[in-house]
Amino acid sequence: MGKRTIIPFGPQHPVLPEPVHLDLVMEDEKVVQAIPRIGYIHRGLEHLTEKKDFKQMVFVAERICGICCFGHSVGYASAVENLMGIEIPPRAKYLRGIWQELERIHSHILWLGLLADGFGFESLFMHCWRLRERVLDVLEQTSGGRVIVSANIVGGVFKDIPNEQMPGIIEQLDSIREDYEAISRAFLDDQSVNNRLREVGVLSRQDAVDLSCLGPMLRASGVAEDVRLYEEPYATLGFTPITSDEGDCYARCKVRINEVTQSIDLIKAMADTIPDGELSTPLKGNPPAGSQGFYRVEQPRGESFYYVRGNGTKFLDRMRVRTPTSMNLAGMTKILQGCDLADVPMMVLTIDPCISCTER
C-alpha cells in the first residue's frame, strides 16, 4: 500500500457550479475513498413552517432549489392535499404536468451545458444555454416566470394556459427539438467525449438498488423506476421510463439526453388532450391535528419525498423533504472509489448534484 494523502475537493471548484465538498483519500493518482461533507449552505427552510402558514409555504418550498423549483412546489402542495383529503381538478393535473416537463427540459439542457464546460467545450456550452433560453421563453409565456413559476397553490393552480396558446407552444417545442438533436449528437457521437465518459464511473444495477439511487442515475443502471409511472396524467399517456444498461457516465448522459425529447412528446400529448374545467379545489379549514400526508414527485434529478404533519392550526407541525441528490451521494462515493483524480469532476457532474436542495 502506497502513501495516502487527503485532498479537499470543493466547495469551490472551477468545473462545478455546486458547492460540493469532498475529502478525497488518495494513493498516488487513485482515489481510495471519497468522504462528502454536508452542511456548507444550510438555510433552515423546513423550520419556516413555524412562521409561514401552510398556504404560504408553497412558495417557500419552491425556493428550496432554483432549477427544480416547480417540482418542489408540486411535492409540497400535493403532500398537503393528501393530508387534507383534497382531489385537485383534472385540468390542474395537466397544467402541473406541462410545467414539470418544461422544467425537466431546461434542467437537463442546463446540465448538458455544464458537462460541455467540464470538457472545455466552451462553444458547445454556450449553444446549450442559448437553447435553454428558448425553453425559458416558453415558461415565461405560459406562467409569467422564467425559472420560478409560482403557479401552484394547495388545491391546484391559480394560473392557466389558454387552449388557444397550446399550438404555439407545440410549434416552439418542435423548433427546439430540431436544434437540440443536432447538439445532442456532439455528446453521443464525439470521440473525445466518449473517451471521457465510456466505462468511467460504472455503477452496477445491484449497487444502484442497494444504495437507493434515484432518477437518471438509477435508470442509467438499468432500473426502470420513475414516480411518473404511478401518477396522472402520465399513466393515461402510456409513459415509459428511459433506461440504459451500461451504468457509466456515458449512460447517465444518454438517459438525460433522451429524457428531453421524451418530455417534449409528453408536453405535446398533454397539450392535445388537456380537459377543460376548474383550476383548483376550494379549501376548508386547517390541516387537522395529528394528520399526516406525504407525496413523491419525480424531479429532473430524481424522486423527492415530501412529508407534512398538521396540528389543527394554519401552521404545520412539521415539513420534511428528502431530495434526490442526498440519496445519490452514496452512489457517487461508490463510483469514485478506485477512479483517477482527473475523472473526479466528470463523475460528480454526471450525478447532476444539487447541494442547494440537499442542504436547504
Side-chain angles (χ1 to χ4, degrees):
M1 184 175 67
K3 181 181 178 181
R4 293 190 174 185
T5 56
I6 297 178
I7 297 177
F9 180 91
Q12 280 82 32
H13 192 278
V15 175
L16 302 172
E18 291 282 347
V20 178
H21 185 194
L22 302 171
D23 285 338
L24 302 177
V25 182
M26 306 291 301
E27 283 185 10
D28 298 325
E29 290 293 314
K30 292 289 184 181
V31 177
V32 178
Q33 186 180 12
I35 305 169
R37 303 292 185 185
I38 305 299
Y40 184 70
I41 55 169
H42 179 64
R43 291 173 287 154
L45 294 183
E46 292 177 4
H47 190 58
L48 288 176
T49 52
E50 296 181 0
K51 299 180 180 179
K52 305 292 183 182
D53 67 48
F54 75 96
K55 297 177 183 178
Q56 295 171 328
M57 279 300 296
V58 176
F59 306 104
V60 174
E62 193 167 27
R63 283 153 178 81
I64 286 176
C65 175
I67 303 302
C68 41
C69 50
F70 187 78
H72 278 297
S73 66
V74 169
Y76 170 81
S78 299
V80 177
E81 289 156 8
N82 177 289
L83 175 151
M84 300 181 71
I86 296 172
E87 179 70 23
I88 71 170
R91 186 174 181 85
K93 292 180 180 179
Y94 274 74
L95 290 171
R96 284 182 177 180
I98 290 172
W99 281 315
Q100 270 189 270
E101 295 310 310
L102 284 171
E103 182 175 81
R104 195 179 317 277
I105 294 169
H106 94 73
S107 176
H108 283 348
I109 296 178
L110 177 148
W111 175 82
L112 282 172
L114 297 177
L115 188 68
D117 182 57
F119 292 134
F121 292 1
E122 298 302 327
S123 179
L124 184 58
F125 164 77
M126 294 304 297
H127 278 306
C128 289
W129 278 46
R130 182 176 62 185
L131 189 60
R132 174 177 172 260
E133 285 296 313
R134 290 163 60 185
V135 182
L136 297 184
D137 288 341
V138 179
L139 273 169
E140 184 177 23
Q141 292 165 20
T142 56
S143 70
R146 294 179 65 78
V147 177
I148 304 291
V149 175
S150 294
N152 280 312
I153 55 174
V154 176
V157 296
F158 70 93
K159 296 179 181 179
D160 194 8
I161 305 175
N163 290 339
E164 57 269 19
Q165 195 176 347
M166 296 298 181
I169 295 171
I170 293 174
E171 184 179 345
Q172 291 180 76
L173 290 175
D174 284 337
S175 175
I176 289 169
R177 184 208 291 267
E178 184 178 345
D179 293 337
Y180 173 75
E181 289 177 346
I183 288 174
S184 63
R185 285 195 291 271
F187 291 95
L188 297 178
D189 302 336
D190 185 84
Q191 187 61 44
S192 59
V193 174
N194 276 244
N195 290 339
R196 292 294 302 276
L197 297 181
R198 283 194 182 273
E199 298 181 9
V200 174
V202 177
L203 184 69
S204 70
R205 178 190 179 96
Q206 192 60 52
D207 284 339
V209 173
D210 290 345
L211 297 171
S212 301
C213 294
L214 300 171
M217 191 170 187
L218 178 65
R219 294 190 286 274
S221 294
V223 182
E225 180 59 35
D226 192 308
V227 177
R228 290 175 290 174
L229 283 166
Y230 318 112
E231 64 180 19
E232 295 295 338
Y234 299 99
T236 302
L237 299 174
F239 169 77
T240 303
I242 302 290
T243 61
S244 183
D245 295 324
E246 296 90 342
D248 57 6
C249 290
Y250 182 83
R252 292 188 279 276
C253 178
K254 182 172 66 174
V255 165
R256 290 188 179 93
I257 284 174
N258 291 334
E259 282 189 356
V260 169
T261 53
Q262 182 188 51
S263 290
I264 292 174
D265 291 336
L266 287 169
I267 292 171
K268 292 170 68 174
M270 285 187 270
D272 287 338
T273 58
I274 187 170
D276 294 325
E278 299 296 325
L279 299 181
S280 63
T281 301
L283 298 180
K284 296 180 180 178
N286 296 319
S291 57
Q292 301 179 83
F294 66 89
Y295 195 77
R296 299 157 61 206
V297 58
E298 190 70 31
Q299 294 186 330
R301 294 169 173 85
E303 174 194 318
S304 280
F305 182 91
Y306 266 83
Y307 167 82
V308 292
R309 185 170 69 233
N311 58 11
T313 73
K314 66 178 182 178
F315 298 101
L316 291 175
D317 211 28
R318 186 78 167 91
M319 178 187 82
R320 182 77 178 95
V321 189
R322 190 202 67 190
T323 60
T325 299
S326 64
M327 300 298 290
N328 285 333
L329 287 176
M332 181 190 73
T333 57
K334 175 69 176 180
I335 64 176
L336 288 173
Q337 293 175 11
C339 78
D340 293 329
L341 179 62
D343 288 329
V344 171
M346 208 52 57
M347 291 189 193
V348 175
L349 270 174
T350 57
I351 78 161
D352 193 10
C354 179
I355 305 304
S356 176
C357 280
T358 303
E359 301 182 358
R360 296 182 291 285

